[in-house]
Amino acid sequence: MNNEPVIRIKDLKKHFPSGSGRFTALNGIDLLFSKGEFTGIIGPSGSGKTTLLNIIGTLDTPSEGEALILGRSAGSLSAKESAALRKSQLGFIFQTYNLFPVYTVFENVEFPLLLQGVESSQRRKMVLDALEWVGLTDKIRSRPAQLSGGESQRVAIARAMVKRPAIVLADEPTANLDAKNSHNILQTMEKLNRELRTTFIFATHDEKVIGYVRRKIFLFDGKVAGDEIINKN
Ligand SMILES: Nc1ncnc2c1ncn2[C@@H]1O[C@H](COP(=O)(O)OP(=O)(O)O)[C@@H](O)[C@H]1O
Ligand SMILES: [Mg+2]
């Protein structure tokens, strides 16, 4: 059970309609991901990184082949089943933070717990824990417009982590951050990865991110062009 991969991808293809034909964005991907990985999917723009993350995150479905996410087949889940899987087990971090501008920091982080129906005093405790993990306890009443980019991304990390999901998917999480803030959020994610054993998968071409990951999967033209384990402690 312990060694069972959290994600199992087999001969995965994704075609998008294009003009009168179709464009193949993922062209036969085979990958296994284990619990607790801290992995970068690295490749140039257009190589298929976001498409792959979206399928792992059950936001999109395979055209051919299979993607098993925590034992569930991404292609055969109903909309309701995939929403339930995302709600309980998957966290998302995006390049543009995607915070609700009218909500406070506390309310933004609380939102996934409201969706899950977590009871109020438990919710409060979980939100405060998550804000402590990212060092933003003093900003709970701020709104996104009052935060720096680095702080906004730390709120997004807290929101992704608050329900303690099995897997966090981060699409170019440092693309809008300067070097100092990029290192800061990567160190935060690395700490959470080690302490909570959350599986992290990043899509990136940022050298700063690449320096932190313990596995590098290179994507090129919708195919895996390399897969390296980095040995570090
Ligand atoms: N919904 C879509 N419809 C048509 N083409 C798409 C769609 N999504 C992605 N693509 C195409 O698939 C390729 C891979 O895109 P994407 O996964 O976003 O790459 P990356 O994240 O590596 O930049 C690109 O050529 C892109 O234009
Ligand atoms: Mg992308």
Side-chain angles (χ1 to χ4, degrees):
M1 185 69 202
N2 250 352
N3 293 327
E4 178 61 16
V6 287
I7 300 163
R8 184 186 283 274
I9 293 171
K10 207 165 177 314
D11 202 17
L12 171 66
K13 295 186 183 172
K14 182 66 183 182
H15 314 293
F16 291 112
S18 163
S20 55
R22 65 185 197 183
F23 175 81
T24 299
L26 296 176
N27 194 7
I29 304 275
D30 289 289
L31 285 170
L32 300 176
F33 295 87
S34 309
K35 182 173 168 62
E37 282 193 21
F38 201 67
T39 293
I41 296 172
I42 302 160
S45 180
S47 56
K49 303 182 297 295
T50 294
T51 305
L52 180 57
L53 279 195
N54 285 348
I55 291 174
I56 293 173
T58 73
L59 299 167
D60 204 348
T61 53
S63 307
E64 297 178 50
E66 189 162 55
L68 281 176
I69 317 304
L70 300 163
R72 314 293 301 279
S73 175
S76 57
L77 295 174
S78 68
K80 208 172 164 183
E81 287 168 331
S82 63
L85 180 64
R86 288 194 296 275
K87 215 156 62 175
S88 62
Q89 300 284 9
L90 305 176
F92 295 88
I93 298 169
F94 302 95
Q95 173 177 342
T96 49
Y97 324 131
N98 292 12
L99 303 177
F100 293 117
V102 297
Y103 283 9
T104 63
V105 165
F106 184 95
E107 289 162 345
N108 268 281
V109 177
E110 184 184 33
F111 186 71
L113 302 178
L114 287 170
L115 290 181
Q116 274 191 294
V118 177
E119 171 274 321
S120 146
S121 64
Q122 178 67 11
R123 245 178 15 236
R124 182 169 175 79
K125 185 182 177 317
M126 291 169 84
V127 172
L128 294 177
D129 281 351
L131 287 170
E132 197 174 318
W133 294 336
V134 300
L136 280 181
T137 307
D138 56 336
K139 299 279 182 190
I140 58 173
R141 286 187 190 80
S142 302
R143 292 184 202 271
Q146 300 168 298
L147 303 175
S148 70
E151 287 167 344
S152 298
Q153 194 61 306
R154 283 192 277 147
V155 176
I157 295 169
R159 181 187 54 188
M161 293 297 303
V162 70
K163 61 197 176 186
R164 304 181 187 222
I167 301 168
V168 170
L169 303 168
D171 197 351
E172 313 261 6
T174 56
N176 289 331
L177 300 179
D178 60 27
K180 183 164 167 279
N181 278 303
S182 298
H183 286 294
N184 179 300
I185 72 135
L186 282 158
Q187 283 157 7
T188 301
M189 289 193 270
E190 193 174 48
K191 181 189 77 176
L192 292 168
N193 164 260
R194 287 185 193 275
E195 288 176 4
L196 302 174
R197 291 204 67 218
T198 311
T199 305
F200 276 81
I201 305 175
F202 304 92
T204 194
H205 52 251
D206 180 349
E207 288 295 331
K208 294 187 290 301
V209 177
I210 298 168
Y212 283 85
V213 298
R214 296 197 298 275
R215 177 183 177 191
K216 301 177 185 177
I217 294 168
F218 296 94
L219 263 200
F220 196 77
D221 277 353
K223 289 187 175 156
V224 175
D227 189 350
E228 291 175 12
I229 306 284
I230 317 298
N231 283 313
K232 55 177 167 183
N233 293 307

CSV table of all heavy atoms in Angstrom, one decimal, residues 49-50 171-172, ligand 2:
chain,number,residue,atom,x,y,z
A,49,LYS,N,2.9,21.1,-20.4
A,49,LYS,CA,3.0,21.1,-19.0
A,49,LYS,C,1.6,21.3,-18.3
A,49,LYS,O,1.1,20.6,-17.5
A,49,LYS,CB,4.0,22.1,-18.4
A,49,LYS,CG,5.4,22.0,-19.0
A,49,LYS,CD,6.3,23.0,-18.4
A,49,LYS,CE,6.0,24.5,-18.7
A,49,LYS,NZ,6.1,24.8,-20.1
A,50,THR,N,0.9,22.4,-18.8
A,50,THR,CA,-0.4,22.7,-18.2
A,50,THR,C,-1.4,21.7,-18.5
A,50,THR,O,-2.2,21.3,-17.6
A,50,THR,CB,-0.8,24.1,-18.7
A,50,THR,OG1,0.1,25.1,-18.1
A,50,THR,CG2,-2.2,24.5,-18.2
A,171,ASP,N,1.2,25.4,-11.1
A,171,ASP,CA,1.5,25.7,-12.5
A,171,ASP,C,2.2,27.0,-12.5
A,171,ASP,O,1.6,28.1,-12.3
A,171,ASP,CB,0.1,25.8,-13.3
A,171,ASP,CG,0.4,25.7,-14.8
A,171,ASP,OD1,1.6,25.8,-15.2
A,171,ASP,OD2,-0.6,25.6,-15.5
A,172,GLU,N,3.5,27.0,-12.8
A,172,GLU,CA,4.4,28.2,-12.9
A,172,GLU,C,4.2,29.1,-11.6
A,172,GLU,O,3.9,30.3,-11.8
A,172,GLU,CB,4.1,29.0,-14.1
A,172,GLU,CG,4.0,28.1,-15.4
A,172,GLU,CD,5.2,28.1,-16.2
A,172,GLU,OE1,6.2,28.7,-15.8
A,172,GLU,OE2,5.2,27.5,-17.3
B,2,MG,MG,1.5,26.3,-19.1
